[in-house]
């Protein structure tokens, strides 16, 4: 069965990509843009920058220290390959199939006879193999190669890509196995690649190698660096860790592998450790958008409650990795809280990154942009991960290909089955044609304009012999949801709602989720946003943009009236806001600091700002910010009064 994640056991089982088809709507449109624009865009940039030619130069014996790209540029080719494999299977697109074969042939020529495959080490005047495990990314690259091979194997069968990946995996096992070198990679990824490759091939030794890498980490195996070993998650064994720390993408890729190994080995202790880390990290180190990573210096997690909106890093890749972890935990446990986080992260991180045409991307996803960014040149590589506008390509361009492979396989994250029926975890217009474990077919069509509308209609497309259970997730924010089935309407609380019976063909079940705008208040321990309020609408976080203000400079000083509930507005919401009267000009020079003068610190509270009157301030989905051009933006809005008592 074709699925990005296919554990051998678990509370629920993923559907194959051939069993779910997006039929338009929010995610269907984005998946189509990914197919028609993003995939070719990524290949074009990698060709232009010489990242693809790196493989040719290794094969031709002409590579050397002048190799273009970072040591991990090989991984971008592999992530693109994975996306192409899912896309070719989804649509049968001959262009995607041709690209797979074209890229595979170039990669295969660069593979050494013993299976080693890398364009930055081990050839000509390059550094020796595995001479920089902290920063060389050799095993990281191989992990992404294995994930591409998993996509090919599950959608097409064994071919040249799968065979070269097998040789690479065998080389890793020989080199780093129980009798080999006791090393680990500074950037986790080989672990999740080996675990899934082992499952796809039925090769236990690959899963065992993933376990070895997991158990070696956390013992100071890697060299210490100024950022500390926590950057590599090499400070505390994964079974003993209480929370995610260090580089966010590294931490999350490692955790995804830990879930895989725990499930395959029946290792309940390891699974409980991951659940414990998820709980605390989500409760104290995760942004309202689902974004993870609050520090720019290490692209990493901060301490508990360290969630500054204007310095949020929230790398797009960390959002993808967070989904990888939560989806695996959902399959293992069936608990809806994991699907809740997947939904939040999909709408507010993954959907935020690409431009509407699929040819520019956000790398970092801050929750407050104080000044509009400068328009990015579509023909230039951006040297910065954060800039306030989407860039066509980055010097470190891991995020575009990560978005590409996620969108190409997104329909595999919507629904599951168990011994009793079908579970729908994410809401999108789609057709589901599944089979229960006992062989009975289940066919359901989903019609919805979610998240614009909270109405989700599920029509039984064909009769299934005997009773079965349809399970729907009611998001944690959806108090007051209703279900209409068999002519009856009933309220359903957040969590899982189950309908069990023999369904008739053509029967309609309707779930109505309340997507009216609502205020969300931060925990007071998050100092950076104390006294502020955010507005959400269904699964979408909303934001204010300077383009919607009479004076764009007022964005930093506006105040929201929390006593007046947010109202539905075109594409988002309206809130009652007070805009201060700002001076038309600022002095060209500031006098020496003195109390009460031109100095941002006073001996007594400042006088209230001048009142320009209350206005209805439009808020837009965060995922759409800067699509109209550079803009200031903020998610957390200062409240004119404290949290209303009783809320």
């Amino acid at each position: 069965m074709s699925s990005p994640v296919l554990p051998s056991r678990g509370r629920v089982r993923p559907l194959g990509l051939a069993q779910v088809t997006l039929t338009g709507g929010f995610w269907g449109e984005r998946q189509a843009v990914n197919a028609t624009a993003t995939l070719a865009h990524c290949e074009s940039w990698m060709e232009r920058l010489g990242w693809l030619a790196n493989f040719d130069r290794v094969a031709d014996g002409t590579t050397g220290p002048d190799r273009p790209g970072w040591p991990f540029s090989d991984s971008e080719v592999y992530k693109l390959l994975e996306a192409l494999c899912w896309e070719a299977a989804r649509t049968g697109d001959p262009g995607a199939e041709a690209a797979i074969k074209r890229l595979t042939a170039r990669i295969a020529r660069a593979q050494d006879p013993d299976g080693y495959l890398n364009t930055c080490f081990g050839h000509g005047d390059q550094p020796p193999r595995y001479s920089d495990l902290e920063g060389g990314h050799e095993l990281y690259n191989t992990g992404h190669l294995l994930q591409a091979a998993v996509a090919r194997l599950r959608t097409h069968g064994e071919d040249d890509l799968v065979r070269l990946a097998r040789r690479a995996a065998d080389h890793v096992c020989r080199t780093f196995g129980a009798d080999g070198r006791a090393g680990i990679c500074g950037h986790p990824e080989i672990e999740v690649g080996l675990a899934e490759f082992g499952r796809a091939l039925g090769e236990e030794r690959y899963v065992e190698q993933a376990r070895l890498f997991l158990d070696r980490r956390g013992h100071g195996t890697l060299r210490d660096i100024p950022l500390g070993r926590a950057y590599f998650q090499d400070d505390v064994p994964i079974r003993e860790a209480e929370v995610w720390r260090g580089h966010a993408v590294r931490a999350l890729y490692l955790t995804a592998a830990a879930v895989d190994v725990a499930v395959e080995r029946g290792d309940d202790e390891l699974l409980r450790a991951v659940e414990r880390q998820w709980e605390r990290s989500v409760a104290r180190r995760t942004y309202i958008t689902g974004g993870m990573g609050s520090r720019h210096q290490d692209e990493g997690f901060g301490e508990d409650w360290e969630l500054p909106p204007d310095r949020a890093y929230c790398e797009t890749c960390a959002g993808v990795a967070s989904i990888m972890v939560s989806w695996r935990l959902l399959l293992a446990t069936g608990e809806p809280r994991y699907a809740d986080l997947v939904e939040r992260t999909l709408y507010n991180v993954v959907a935020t990154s690409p431009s509407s045409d699929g040819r520019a991307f956000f790398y970092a996803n801050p929750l407050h942009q104080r000044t509009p960014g400068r328009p990015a040149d579509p023909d230039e590589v951006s040297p910065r991960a954060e800039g306030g506008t989407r860039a066509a390509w980055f010097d470190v361009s891991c995020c575009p290909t990560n978005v590409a492979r996620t969108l190409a396989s997104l329909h595999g994250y919507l629904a599951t089955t168990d011994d009793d029926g079908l579970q729908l975890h994410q809401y999108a217009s789609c057709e589901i044609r599944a089979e229960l474990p006992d062989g009975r077919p289940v066919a359901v069509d989903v019609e919805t304009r979610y998240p614009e509308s909270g109405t989700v209609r599920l029509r039984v497309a064909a009769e299934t012999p005997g009773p079965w259970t349809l399970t729907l997730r009611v998001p944690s924010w959806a108090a007051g949801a209703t279900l209409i089935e068999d002519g009856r309407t009933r309220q359903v609380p957040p969590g899982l709602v189950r309908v069990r019976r023999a369904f008739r063909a053509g029967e309609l079940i309707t779930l109505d989720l309340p997507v009216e705008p609502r205020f969300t208040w931060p925990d007071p321990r998050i100092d950076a946003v104390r006294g502020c309020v955010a507005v959400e609408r269904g699964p979408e976080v909303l934001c204010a943009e300077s383009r919607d203000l009479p004076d764009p400079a007022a964005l930093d000083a506006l105040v929201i009236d929390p006593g007046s509930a947010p109202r539905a507005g075109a594409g988002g919401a309206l809130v009652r806001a007070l805009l201060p009267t700002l001076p038309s000009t600022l002095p060209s020079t500031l006098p020496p600091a003195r109390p009460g003068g031109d100095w941002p610190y006073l001996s007594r509270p400042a006088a209230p700002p001048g009142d320009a009157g209350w206005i209805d301030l439009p808020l837009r989905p965060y995922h759409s910010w800067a699509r109209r051009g550079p803009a200031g933006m903020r998610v957390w809005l200062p409240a004119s009064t404290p949290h209303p008592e009783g809320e």
Side-chain angles (χ1 to χ4, degrees):
M1 183 168 67
S2 62
S3 176
V5 185
L6 195 56
S8 62
R9 59 176 66 88
R11 175 63 184 81
V12 294
R13 290 177 288 272
L15 296 185
L17 299 187
Q19 295 177 297
V20 183
T21 304
L22 289 171
T23 55
F26 187 97
W27 291 114
E29 292 169 3
R30 283 159 174 78
Q31 192 175 64
V33 169
N34 186 63
T36 58
T38 301
L39 299 179
H41 176 85
C42 291
E43 183 178 1
S44 173
W45 270 101
M46 285 187 268
E47 189 74 84
R48 171 180 170 180
L49 296 175
W51 297 1
L52 293 175
N54 284 335
F55 293 94
D56 305 332
R57 296 175 69 192
V58 168
D60 298 338
T62 58
T63 194
D66 60 340
R67 170 194 175 278
W70 289 86
F72 42 80
S73 66
D74 291 0
S75 73
E76 309 314 332
V77 181
Y78 302 149
K79 281 186 283 184
L80 173 60
L81 254 180
E82 181 186 344
L84 287 164
C85 290
W86 298 129
E87 186 58 38
R90 185 179 76 88
T91 61
D93 176 25
E97 182 65 29
I100 294 167
K101 293 178 178 177
R102 180 171 64 247
L103 293 175
T104 298
R106 294 175 77 173
I107 294 166
R109 292 181 63 236
Q111 189 169 36
D112 292 353
D114 66 352
Y116 179 80
L117 179 56
N118 192 273
T119 69
C120 193
F121 291 85
H123 304 99
D125 295 330
Q126 293 177 334
R129 296 178 179 182
Y130 306 119
S131 56
D132 182 11
L133 287 175
E134 289 76 19
H137 289 75
E138 288 159 278
L139 292 170
Y140 167 84
N141 290 338
T142 302
H144 278 299
L145 171 65
L146 299 184
Q147 288 194 292
V150 167
R152 188 60 167 171
L153 184 63
R154 288 184 175 154
T155 60
H156 180 273
E158 188 147 345
D159 71 347
D160 288 344
L161 174 56
V162 177
R163 284 187 285 272
L164 75 87
R166 188 194 289 269
R167 291 192 294 273
D170 289 344
H171 165 79
V172 169
C173 291
R174 287 193 306 272
T175 306
F176 293 94
D179 298 325
R181 180 175 177 179
I184 58 175
C185 186
H187 197 312
E189 165 62 22
I190 185 63
E191 300 87 351
V192 71
L194 281 167
E196 202 64 55
F197 195 51
R199 293 199 285 213
L201 288 168
E203 293 274 3
E204 170 62 23
R205 61 199 175 95
Y206 296 141
V207 180
E208 170 61 15
Q209 184 63 50
R211 184 197 65 78
L212 277 175
F213 281 136
L214 285 170
D215 286 349
R216 287 172 183 166
R217 194 172 293 270
H219 300 282
T221 301
L222 297 167
R223 290 192 305 268
D224 202 0
I225 61 172
L227 293 171
R229 288 195 174 97
Y231 178 77
F232 305 121
Q233 294 74 50
D234 195 29
D235 57 330
V236 180
I238 192 166
R239 296 171 187 274
E240 300 173 16
E242 295 294 328
V243 70
W244 295 329
R245 68 240 172 266
H247 189 277
V249 179
R250 285 169 162 86
L252 292 163
Y253 280 171
L254 184 72
T255 305
V259 179
D260 288 340
V261 170
V263 168
E264 295 309 307
R265 292 302 183 86
D267 190 338
D268 293 338
E269 177 197 26
L270 181 56
L271 186 62
R272 284 194 299 270
V274 171
E275 291 181 281
R276 180 177 70 241
Q277 295 158 23
W278 187 96
E279 289 169 3
R280 178 167 161 184
S281 301
V282 171
R284 301 185 178 196
R285 300 188 176 192
T286 301
Y287 284 91
I288 188 174
T289 57
M292 294 186 180
S294 56
R295 292 182 176 176
H296 287 236
Q297 66 176 5
D298 60 352
E299 300 183 318
F301 291 96
E303 299 298 325
D304 289 353
W305 316 116
E306 184 186 341
L307 296 165
D310 51 350
R311 294 300 296 161
Y313 201 71
C314 294
E315 184 181 343
T316 298
C317 286
V320 169
S322 169
I323 291 168
M324 290 169 60
V325 172
S326 290
W327 177 246
R328 284 163 166 80
L329 287 170
L330 171 64
L331 296 178
T333 68
E335 293 186 21
R337 60 180 178 164
Y338 299 121
D340 281 347
L341 185 60
V342 169
E343 177 180 68
R344 181 174 294 277
T345 309
L346 279 172
Y347 280 101
N348 301 296
V349 178
V350 172
T352 305
S353 178
S355 61
S356 55
D357 69 357
R359 295 183 176 91
F361 309 86
F362 278 137
Y363 185 114
N365 294 280
L367 281 70
H368 187 171
Q369 180 73 27
R370 293 186 179 276
T371 58
R374 299 177 62 181
D377 188 329
D379 295 319
E380 294 294 331
V381 173
S382 173
R384 294 180 302 279
E386 64 284 339
T389 55
R390 295 170 180 85
W393 203 250
F394 299 94
D395 182 41
V396 176
S397 219
C398 48
C399 296
T401 51
N402 234 345
V403 169
R405 67 174 180 150
T406 301
L407 291 177
S409 59
L410 185 63
H411 47 305
Y413 295 88
L414 303 185
T416 59
T417 60
D418 63 9
D419 290 343
D420 194 43
L422 174 73
Q423 303 84 43
L424 197 59
H425 304 285
Q426 306 298 335
Y427 298 115
S429 293
C430 64
E431 296 175 350
I432 299 173
R433 301 294 183 266
E435 191 174 272
L436 301 180
D438 60 12
R440 290 183 295 160
V442 174
V444 174
D445 293 338
V446 182
E447 302 170 5
T448 183
R449 293 187 294 112
Y450 191 78
E452 179 184 349
S453 166
T455 300
V456 182
R457 296 184 177 87
L458 301 98
R459 191 177 302 277
V460 179
E463 190 165 323
T464 300
W468 56 280
T469 301
L470 174 64
T471 302
L472 305 176
R473 178 182 63 92
V474 180
S476 58
W477 49 262
T482 59
L483 184 75
I484 305 172
E485 50 98 11
D486 202 22
R488 296 171 297 172
T489 301
R490 59 185 170 108
Q491 272 208 333
V492 289
L496 298 177
V497 57
R498 296 178 175 88
V499 181
R500 177 173 174 78
R501 63 170 183 273
F503 293 92
R504 304 180 303 276
E507 187 172 349
L508 186 66
I509 300 95
T510 301
L511 178 66
D512 269 317
L513 301 173
V515 294
E516 293 80 13
R518 63 190 185 277
F519 282 134
T520 299
W521 298 85
D523 187 293
R525 288 169 288 188
I526 307 176
D527 295 292
V529 292
R530 188 180 293 142
C532 294
V533 65
V535 179
E536 298 182 85
R537 182 183 183 276
E540 298 172 310
V541 173
L542 305 185
C543 67
E545 279 194 278
S546 58
R547 283 178 169 268
D548 293 315
L549 299 178
D551 179 358
L555 181 69
D556 279 343
L558 63 83
V559 175
I560 300 302
D561 175 13
S564 180
R567 296 173 286 118
L574 296 171
V575 293
R576 189 167 183 259
L578 179 64
L579 298 185
T581 302
L582 299 176
S584 58
T585 60
L586 292 175
S588 58
T589 60
L590 293 177
R594 58 183 176 80
D598 292 310
W599 175 242
Y601 310 102
L602 307 176
S603 59
R604 59 184 181 275
D611 186 353
W614 292 91
I615 67 166
D616 284 335
L617 174 67
L619 303 180
R620 299 175 182 273
Y622 172 76
H623 60 70
S624 71
W625 88 271
R627 294 194 190 279
R628 296 175 293 169
M633 173 276 299
R634 64 187 306 163
V635 166
W636 289 105
L637 308 167
S640 61
T641 59
H643 187 301
E645 186 177 353
E647 289 195 11

